[in-house]
Amino acid sequence: MKYKSRLLLWTVSLSLGSGALAAVTGGGQHQPVPTPTAAPGSVIPAAPLRTAAQQAPAPMPPLRDDPGTRSGEVQPGKPPKVQPTPTAVAQPAGLPAGVTFVTQAEGIKEYRLSNGLRVLLFPDPSAGNFTLNVTYLVGSVHENYGETGMAHLLEHLVFKGTPTSGNIMEALGQRGATFNGTTNLDRTNYFETLTNTGDNLAWAIRMEADRMVNSRISGDDLKTEMTVVRNEFEAGENNLIGLTLKELQSVAFDWHNYGNSTIGNRSDVENVPVDRLQAFYRTYYQPDNAVVTLAGNFDEAEALGLLAREFGPIPAPSRTLPPQYTREPAQNGERSVTVRRVGDLQALMAAYHVPSVRHADTPALLVLNELLGNEPSGRLYANLVQTGQASATGTLPLQGGEPGLLLGLAVLDKDDDMDRAQATLLSTLEQAGDKAFSEEEVSRAKQRLATQHAQLMTQPGQVGIALSEAIAAGDWRLLLERRDAVARVTAADVQRVARTYLKPSNRTLARFIPTAQPDRVEIAQAPSAQEVLRDFVGGKALSAGEQLDVAPAALEQRVIREDIGGVKVAMLPKETRGDRVQLQLALDYGNPETVREAGAAPDFLGDMLTRGSTGLTRQQLHDRLEAINTNLSVSGSGEGLSVSLDTERQHLPEALELLQSVLRGPTFPESEFAELKTLTLTALEADRSEPESVAGRELDRIFMPEGTRHGDLFYSPTLDEQLEDVRAVTVQDVRDYYTQVVGAGHAQLSVVGDFDPQTIRAAVPQLLGGWTSGVKYERIVRPLTRPAGVSRSINVPDKANAVYVAAQNFALRDDHPDAAALEVAMRVFGAGTDSRLWNRVRQQEGLSYGVGAQTSLSSRDEQGTLSAYAIYNPGVREKLSAALQEEFRRVAQSGFTETEVNNAKASLLAETRAAYSKDAVLAAVLLNQADLDRTFAFQQQWEQRLAAVTPEQAKAAFVKYINPDDLVVIQAGSFEK
């Protein structure tokens, strides 16, 4: 539901472990090339269910942040050296010169180059792409006084390029890559995902080897990128959860750099000399301090040869890595900190020191984290959300190679009793060791963690990223060993660690209170990775899938299109890694009158369908789905339902039976509706002081059809009106809309993956047969509104970051001859990291962390929309506005160059083909085709039209449909001091 978006954005970040620290406090990630995302839903059972407001997928276990000594690797304070290969390991024949095989586990092989570089290969021939990761064992923990934020700032600068590779971000964009750079407490990671075609693999390896030692790191680049990073810092300052977390960490740690946020101190970011950045780069960006991971579609021998050729000539450095010897002493009593900023929510956090991720207690702590923070079975959720004391709860482990934190969180409405909620939060956490957990509870939590890991291993690209976290903790195999350790955890283990670490004397709430009898918790030294792994034996690698030809004609030959009982069905059977199956379903129902009369009630449909059905409670549904390694999400509105199901071949029949129960037998429990309604209202209230929400709402209201009033079909309500609409909804309203309006009379279904089509043919009549709506279906067509151009600024107090949003409507459909030319024009103008807007506003002038523009076209009606956005410091509002206006008008004046247009066409084609290699994307495409009665012939025609676009046609389309004078521009931020 759209009403929840702001609160969910906060809580999603809390499910990502210490990797979220950089993002939630404003640091750590470049903006990647946009990729398709799954439709929002309410049930994602294979995710780490740690927050009561949102369940977000993340790898298990969260092996993160290891600034300490890594046994068997480069020892801090000692000359770098290459660990000798054990004599028991046989060396394969035909290895490139200077390459040594080290070990392997579950399909992942480790090699080492003579200069100390470690290489991990995880091939998957069924993947259409490869992902190349380079992990440097350096993060914010390695920064000295005056250097906070340096590791993250350096991450930005190495994208500026080398004398040989040029602008790396631009080059990646031109190749249609998905890429990113992230900085954590003790590691920096770069990855790019490309199709394994042409010279992509050779180019990517050559580029990463080049920027390892040849990045410019110039003063001129620092001047512009510093302001971009500062803008990222300011964006983090707008987030009340991230801001509170940053303050909490700084109080929880007296001496250790785990107390510093990755984004750093503002004055350090603004004033760091370029020579210190260059010295930092030369010290840590070296082969003996790096691990290269290649996962996905590639030939092992070819890849190893390329890696040896490009990285091998880099000499091993002669420098000695600075030692990391600071250890945080035991805490002497409760601590607290209070953060006062403008906002509409209250938040409580309690943090407890816990040992390294390698410590024997960590597996039990991971299970404890699930038992406390899960929704709806977790103790925090039961004691705070279900009693009405809080709107959302969660837990978050911030662990690494050295001792870290375990956090508990509660989010409250501004009128809730904070003292009461604080007492409940602390008693729930600190009395967890006194109330025994049942074996059933522990088994359920362990199953969730096992499911997360099993699903992770089916995605080689994501495995590569997860391995970087394990590498930072000491050894990549910890990702696998910690999984096995979790499986051995008992209820007694969980009880013991709760009693050991969740004590008042070990807590930081954000206050200092002396105590006469300190009860210090001494954190034991963790064993080395080699000791932990002494008896470890990896499991069997998953079976690989097939490599799919994603050309439109080839795809069409594989698709089976049928009408099954009135349901339009599109199926693409194929071999997949882990025998996975992706199914998507769309139901269209209702008409303008039913939607107008229903108000906000249908917006609760998707969530309520998964909160109880005949014979299944919400928790029972979660348990059944997790037991069969299945993800289910359902979203709904007054016009339709969207369903996404991700399962395994062997479990597809049972998964479809569960889906039938969800869709055909919902019970709409009153208690679940009350919780959902409270969460919705809380999230809406949070929008009141968020620049993005304020600007977006104002933009929607300007584009309302003229003369519409509250209650009309196309009316966009004010925030207060929307709150009243939601408050007025009852569970009976939702139930009535389901009973009277929802049905399967107009349905489309798509399936991609490892399945027998006969299974679908047999299941569809059972799933949807006889399900008719009580009203006639009529598609709702929104009128094309074209308000006069206007520019407005809205002051939102006490926000360090401002937002620019702009829009313009025009009449155009996606099958018009102009559509391809306009798409090429927008790709050059603002839809990529090699676009004009990106290069000028971010790369050259450093005015914004994120900027772009794109158009969207209807497939049914002549309705098109231009949208543009940017985030920025309020002090550069005039410069940013002028730059965007100049770029809009420059197109009419000088058009586009042939090089720009050719690069845009190549990027659009590459991005589309890369997207088709993902089964979930293919399922969504097939679903859309079924709805529109299209095939891949339409895509083939689009590619042909795209290839024929000339610079003159691109300019003509842009000028025809985009008029800078007609832009509706809204800017929101703290403009009044």
Side-chain angles (χ1 to χ4, degrees):
M1 280 172 46
K2 60 184 178 181
Y3 299 155
K4 301 192 300 185
S5 59
R6 179 55 47 195
L7 182 60
L8 297 191
L9 284 176
W10 289 337
T11 53
V12 163
S13 67
L14 295 182
S15 72
L16 302 179
S18 64
L21 173 63
V24 84
T25 56
Q29 297 194 8
H30 281 289
Q31 177 173 316
V33 174
T35 55
T37 57
S42 61
V43 179
I44 310 177
L49 308 178
R50 290 173 179 67
T51 64
Q54 172 82 354
Q55 303 163 15
M60 190 295 296
L63 298 166
R64 298 176 169 90
D65 314 321
D66 178 29
T69 298
R70 300 168 178 83
S71 179
E73 301 178 12
V74 177
Q75 302 294 314
K78 299 180 181 179
K81 62 182 180 180
V82 177
Q83 180 175 332
T85 303
T87 55
V89 178
Q91 293 299 301
L95 289 180
V99 176
T100 303
F101 172 73
V102 178
T103 188
Q104 64 179 339
E106 301 188 14
I108 304 171
K109 297 178 183 178
E110 178 181 355
Y111 299 88
R112 195 179 295 263
L113 273 58
S114 58
N115 55 15
L117 180 73
R118 279 152 288 171
V119 173
L120 302 180
L121 297 184
F122 187 27
D124 177 18
S126 68
N129 308 323
F130 67 86
T131 298
L132 182 65
N133 281 271
V134 180
T135 302
Y136 295 92
L137 300 178
V138 59
S140 57
V141 77
H142 300 91
E143 297 162 348
N144 294 316
Y145 188 80
E147 295 181 349
T148 61
M150 181 178 290
H152 173 240
L153 183 56
L154 185 61
E155 173 219 315
H156 277 244
L157 287 173
V158 299
F159 277 94
K160 293 291 189 178
T162 74
T164 302
S165 297
N167 186 313
I168 290 174
M169 191 174 292
E170 182 175 338
L172 287 164
Q174 291 172 351
R175 288 177 178 263
T178 299
F179 64 95
N180 211 340
T182 63
T183 306
N184 230 342
L185 296 172
D186 52 13
R187 66 106 183 108
T188 304
N189 175 261
Y190 304 89
F191 77 88
E192 50 269 6
T193 299
L194 298 101
T195 57
N196 190 8
T197 56
D199 69 338
N200 278 350
L201 180 59
W203 176 86
I205 292 173
R206 182 169 62 253
M207 178 273 291
E208 290 291 1
D210 189 23
R211 73 168 166 180
M212 175 180 282
V213 291
N214 295 320
S215 292
R216 284 194 300 264
I217 320 296
S218 70
D220 289 341
D221 286 341
L222 175 60
K223 289 179 183 178
T224 58
E225 201 62 25
M226 179 277 291
T227 57
V228 170
V229 173
R230 184 175 60 191
N231 185 222
E232 189 179 354
F233 173 94
E234 292 155 351
E237 292 290 290
N238 281 10
N239 185 313
L240 79 87
I241 298 294
L243 189 62
T244 304
L245 176 60
K246 182 181 71 171
E247 297 281 354
L248 179 146
Q249 282 186 276
S250 67
V251 174
F253 292 95
D254 282 334
W255 306 106
H256 199 278
N257 270 4
Y258 274 17
N260 295 335
S261 70
T262 303
I263 194 69
N265 178 45
R266 182 178 184 129
S267 64
D268 288 357
V269 172
E270 292 175 335
N271 299 296
V272 61
V274 70
D275 59 339
R276 293 184 72 172
L277 274 167
Q278 292 167 342
F280 195 85
Y281 170 71
R282 289 191 296 268
T283 298
Y284 293 105
Y285 279 57
Q286 297 288 348
D288 65 338
N289 198 46
V291 181
V292 174
T293 303
L294 181 59
N297 187 314
F298 62 89
D299 178 84
E300 289 187 64
E302 177 192 14
L304 201 56
L306 289 170
L307 289 161
R309 186 185 74 188
E310 301 298 341
F311 283 95
I314 301 174
S318 58
R319 59 89 179 93
T320 297
L321 286 169
Q324 301 292 316
Y325 46 76
T326 301
R327 278 185 62 83
E328 187 74 12
Q331 191 166 304
N332 289 311
E334 302 91 328
R335 299 180 182 181
S336 64
V337 61
T338 299
V339 180
R340 298 185 186 275
R341 293 288 296 269
V342 170
D344 297 284
L345 297 177
Q346 301 179 88
L348 287 166
M349 291 185 189
Y352 303 84
H353 291 275
V354 292
S356 159
V357 76
R358 300 190 308 271
H359 193 275
D361 285 348
T362 290
L365 285 166
L366 292 172
V367 177
L368 175 63
N369 177 65
E370 291 286 337
L371 292 167
L372 292 172
N374 177 251
E375 173 194 5
S377 64
R379 290 187 179 179
L380 286 178
Y381 187 87
N383 294 347
L384 284 160
V385 176
Q386 293 182 338
T387 61
Q389 298 180 52
S391 300
T393 57
T395 54
L396 168 65
L398 289 177
Q399 289 178 274
E402 293 196 9
L405 299 173
L406 178 64
L407 286 80
L409 162 73
V411 179
L412 292 71
D413 186 77
K414 61 183 178 183
D415 297 324
D416 288 340
D417 187 339
M418 188 174 221
D419 290 340
R420 179 188 176 203
Q422 176 179 315
T424 303
L425 174 71
L426 297 181
S427 63
T428 302
L429 293 169
E430 294 169 6
Q431 294 174 18
D434 300 328
K435 181 181 178 182
F437 294 97
S438 69
E439 288 294 344
E440 179 183 356
E441 289 176 293
V442 173
S443 296
R444 180 186 297 150
K446 288 162 58 176
Q447 178 62 53
R448 276 194 296 272
L449 294 172
T451 298
Q452 295 157 23
H453 194 282
Q455 294 183 1
L456 169 69
M457 295 304 289
T458 69
Q459 307 171 65
Q462 294 300 312
V463 171
I465 297 170
L467 286 172
S468 71
E469 307 292 356
I471 289 164
D475 191 297
W476 62 270
R477 290 170 294 171
L478 287 169
L479 179 67
L480 310 175
E481 187 280 339
R482 296 285 81 176
R483 170 205 61 198
D484 294 352
V486 165
R488 297 190 293 269
V489 170
T490 65
D493 293 331
V494 177
Q495 211 72 25
R496 176 181 55 79
V497 296
R499 288 172 176 165
T500 302
Y501 301 108
L502 302 188
K503 295 183 178 181
S505 63
N506 193 36
R507 176 222 306 155
T508 300
L509 181 66
R511 227 161 11 209
F512 179 80
I513 300 176
T515 178
Q517 298 294 327
D519 183 12
R520 295 183 177 88
V521 176
E522 300 291 343
I523 305 298
Q525 183 66 41
S528 69
Q530 280 68 24
E531 292 173 298
V532 173
L533 296 165
R534 182 183 299 117
D535 299 319
F536 168 69
V537 178
K540 183 181 179 181
L542 290 173
S543 59
E546 65 173 293
Q547 182 175 348
L548 186 67
D549 185 347
V550 295
L555 287 172
E556 187 59 34
Q557 291 180 351
R558 299 284 297 269
V559 178
I560 303 170
R561 303 182 192 274
E562 298 180 0
D563 186 301
I564 304 176
V567 180
K568 296 179 180 179
V569 178
M571 299 178 284
L572 199 163
K574 60 188 287 284
E575 295 180 8
T576 59
R577 183 172 181 81
D579 301 330
R580 300 301 295 181
V581 184
Q582 298 283 342
L583 179 147
Q584 295 193 18
L585 170 68
L587 304 179
D588 301 319
Y589 48 73
N591 55 56
E593 190 63 20
T594 62
V595 173
R596 185 189 65 78
E597 293 179 350
D603 292 325
F604 288 87
L605 269 174
D607 284 333
M608 288 303 297
L609 288 178
T610 56
R611 290 185 173 227
S613 59
T614 303
L616 285 175
T617 66
R618 182 183 178 192
Q619 185 62 61
Q620 288 170 337
L621 174 62
H622 277 261
D623 293 345
R624 289 279 300 277
L625 289 168
E626 287 169 351
I628 61 174
N629 198 7
T630 297
N631 296 329
L632 170 64
S633 68
V634 182
S635 60
S637 69
E639 302 173 61
L641 281 176
S642 296
V643 177
S644 177
L645 186 71
D646 172 17
T647 188
E648 295 174 345
R649 179 188 179 105
Q650 62 175 327
H651 297 307
L652 179 58
E654 184 177 353
L656 290 170
E657 290 178 5
L658 290 173
L659 177 58
Q660 181 179 349
S661 175
V662 167
L663 294 179
R664 305 295 293 271
T667 55
F668 298 100
E670 180 73 43
S671 59
E672 293 286 351
F673 176 76
E675 292 176 12
L676 186 59
K677 186 174 179 178
T678 298
L679 175 61
T680 301
L681 291 169
T682 301
L684 273 175
E685 285 289 357
D687 285 345
R688 200 178 291 278
S689 58
E690 290 301 319
E692 297 92 339
S693 301
V694 171
R697 186 178 296 274
E698 181 68 12
L699 198 67
D700 288 343
R701 288 181 58 77
I702 291 175
F703 277 87
M704 283 190 303
E706 188 174 354
T708 54
R709 301 176 181 274
H710 188 218
D712 290 349
L713 184 59
F714 300 113
Y715 181 79
S716 293
T718 66
L719 177 58
D720 289 331
E721 289 171 338
Q722 195 171 7
L723 285 165
E724 287 305 311
D725 291 344
V726 173
R727 292 190 184 104
V729 177
T730 67
V731 70
Q732 188 60 44
D733 295 332
V734 184
R735 186 182 292 114
D736 288 346
Y737 199 86
Y738 170 83
T739 303
Q740 299 167 12
V741 180
V742 177
H746 193 273
Q748 308 89 42
L749 184 143
S750 65
V751 193
V752 176
D754 199 334
F755 67 99
D756 183 350
Q758 191 57 38
T759 302
I760 303 300
R761 295 185 182 106
V764 169
Q766 295 294 323
L767 179 65
L768 302 175
W771 189 12
T772 59
S773 170
V775 300
K776 181 181 179 182
Y777 169 66
E778 180 184 345
R779 185 173 67 89
I780 295 176
V781 180
R782 183 181 180 90
L784 181 67
T785 57
R786 296 181 178 180
V790 65
S791 180
R792 296 179 185 174
S793 294
I794 303 174
N795 189 62
V796 182
D798 200 29
K799 295 296 179 181
N801 195 62
V803 63
Y804 169 109
V805 292
Q808 179 183 330
N809 284 345
F810 50 88
L812 184 65
R813 202 167 67 180
D814 68 354
D815 59 356
H816 191 280
D818 288 344
L822 183 60
E823 187 162 6
V824 171
M826 291 308 301
R827 184 65 172 76
V828 175
F829 178 72
T833 55
D834 55 340
S835 69
R836 288 184 176 182
L837 289 186
W838 183 272
N839 283 330
R840 176 173 178 178
V841 177
R842 171 167 171 153
Q843 298 293 82
Q844 297 174 19
E845 299 185 20
L847 298 176
S848 174
Y849 172 65
V851 61
Q854 61 184 10
T855 53
S856 59
L857 304 180
S858 171
S859 298
R860 293 187 180 274
D861 310 301
E862 291 189 352
Q863 294 188 358
T865 299
L866 162 76
S867 58
Y869 71 94
I871 63 170
Y872 60 96
N873 180 287
V876 301
R877 175 175 49 167
E878 293 183 3
K879 289 182 66 176
L880 178 113
S881 299
L884 289 170
Q885 273 292 322
E886 288 172 12
E887 290 302 321
F888 270 109
R889 297 187 185 280
R890 184 159 72 97
V891 177
Q893 296 166 359
S894 57
F896 304 108
T897 68
E898 185 173 356
T899 298
E900 286 179 319
V901 168
N902 288 340
N903 287 341
K905 293 191 293 186
S907 296
L908 287 168
L909 181 60
E911 290 163 7
T912 302
R913 295 290 178 89
Y916 285 171
S917 68
K918 301 174 182 177
D919 291 350
V921 174
L922 265 184
V925 170
L926 291 175
L927 193 72
N928 187 54
Q929 290 176 349
D931 182 43
L932 298 172
D933 291 324
R934 287 178 177 175
T935 68
F936 279 105
F938 180 85
Q939 173 65 22
Q940 191 164 11
Q941 293 167 4
W942 176 86
E943 292 185 3
Q944 293 168 353
R945 293 196 298 267
L946 181 76
V949 172
T950 66
E952 292 75 19
Q953 291 171 334
K955 175 186 176 182
F958 190 98
V959 173
K960 180 179 179 180
Y961 296 102
I962 310 300
N963 184 352
D965 294 331
D966 292 337
L967 281 175
V968 176
V969 178
I970 307 297
Q971 300 187 69
S974 298
F975 304 127
E976 300 175 10
K977 299 300 182 182

